[in-house]
Amino acid sequence: MKTSDPLNGLAAFLAVAEHLSFTKAAEMLAMSRPTVSAQVDQLERRLGVRLLHRSTRHLFLTEAGAAFHERLRDVTTMVHDAERAAIHHQEAPVGRLRISAPPDLGSSHLTPMIAGFLADHPEIEIELELSNTAVNLIERKFDLAVRGTIRIDETLITRKLGESAVLICASPDYLSRRGVPEKPEDLADHHCLHFSGLRWGRIWKCGKARMFAVSRSPRVLR
């Protein structure tokens, strides 16, 4: 069975009760006067009681309307408190922020930055996991990940932080024995070591890796 919204018409009634005027209530609510009047009428029909006495010159609360208005003051206070709490979360960051980042970047850059951030935002709690694994933010419930990659998943919300060059290095002794490669194709004839933590595994990608902050929510990357 469909039930009516208990909040339907309350804003209109409160505005009318405050100003004792449908016209002023309509201006306050940015609604038309007939709409405000209709909402109050619907509220009275739903409650089965008259809340307002209306005449061509006067408008005032009935006894039931005055009692109803008095009880609604507590509700209005609760709504205002809820609004202030929501605004506080928007203006002053609070809560837990889970971050995933590679170990080298985390220890060299993120850790001192996080310390300064927490000093400015004491109501934030940060959980930092250092790993080269490309975590699934949703499944692992991370809010933010910092990753270096050549390609970025377009389905993710990202912000570019910078670029990091990937260098191919060899010892002088090795080059004296095997020769110096002149072009990437020459590497096929050399003994190459790879870093197991790279996403591309045993295949070397020649190019600049871009560093991205990746998030489930655009608010985290503001």
Side-chain angles (χ1 to χ4, degrees):
M1 183 177 68
K2 185 177 179 180
T3 59
S4 58
D5 183 357
L7 299 180
N8 190 30
L10 292 188
F13 169 73
L14 286 172
V16 173
E18 179 179 347
H19 297 284
L20 293 179
S21 168
F22 281 101
T23 301
K24 290 182 179 179
E27 293 175 355
M28 187 181 93
L29 298 173
M31 300 166 61
S32 68
R33 186 184 185 286
T35 298
V36 173
S37 179
Q39 289 191 2
V40 174
D41 288 343
Q42 291 173 4
L43 177 63
E44 289 180 326
R45 286 197 297 272
R46 180 165 63 85
L47 297 177
V49 63
R50 181 169 293 279
L51 301 173
L52 297 166
H53 280 305
R54 306 168 178 83
S55 69
T56 55
R57 294 189 177 185
H58 300 286
L59 177 68
F60 56 92
L61 294 169
T62 65
E63 184 176 348
F68 189 53
H69 179 247
E70 183 66 25
R71 291 293 184 91
L72 286 177
R73 287 181 178 177
D74 292 337
V75 176
T76 304
T77 300
M78 293 174 61
V79 171
H80 289 163
D81 289 343
E83 290 177 346
R84 283 192 291 268
I87 293 172
H88 175 68
H89 274 269
Q90 180 74 13
E91 295 179 346
V94 296
R96 175 179 295 183
L97 183 65
R98 299 192 70 227
I99 303 174
S100 173
D104 53 350
L105 180 69
S107 58
S108 62
H109 291 80
L110 289 185
T111 301
M113 293 173 63
I114 287 174
F117 178 84
L118 291 177
D120 294 333
H121 305 283
E123 296 186 43
I124 287 287
E125 177 185 352
I126 291 183
E127 182 179 335
L128 176 63
E129 180 179 292
L130 299 180
S131 169
N132 288 307
T133 303
V135 298
N136 185 306
L137 272 65
I138 297 177
E139 291 181 358
R140 295 287 309 282
K141 297 182 180 180
F142 278 99
D143 300 294
L144 174 68
V146 180
R147 287 288 176 259
T149 182
I150 294 176
R151 296 180 180 177
I152 194 69
D153 187 345
E154 295 182 355
T155 63
L156 298 174
I157 302 165
T158 62
R159 175 172 295 175
K160 183 178 178 181
L161 302 179
E163 293 186 350
S164 174
V166 179
L167 303 179
I168 300 175
C169 303
S171 69
D173 178 66
Y174 175 86
L175 295 177
S176 66
R177 290 185 289 106
R178 299 299 303 267
V180 179
E182 300 293 336
K183 54 186 181 297
E185 289 80 3
D186 296 341
L187 295 173
D189 298 324
H190 284 263
H191 298 299
C192 301
L193 300 176
H194 72 280
F195 176 46
S196 60
L198 294 178
R199 293 189 190 181
W200 45 84
R202 299 179 60 86
I203 300 176
W204 283 4
K205 300 287 187 179
C206 296
K208 287 185 176 180
R210 294 171 292 172
M211 191 64 66
F212 285 90
V214 186
S215 172
R216 295 182 297 163
S217 167
R219 291 186 58 192
V220 178
L221 295 181
R222 282 188 310 172

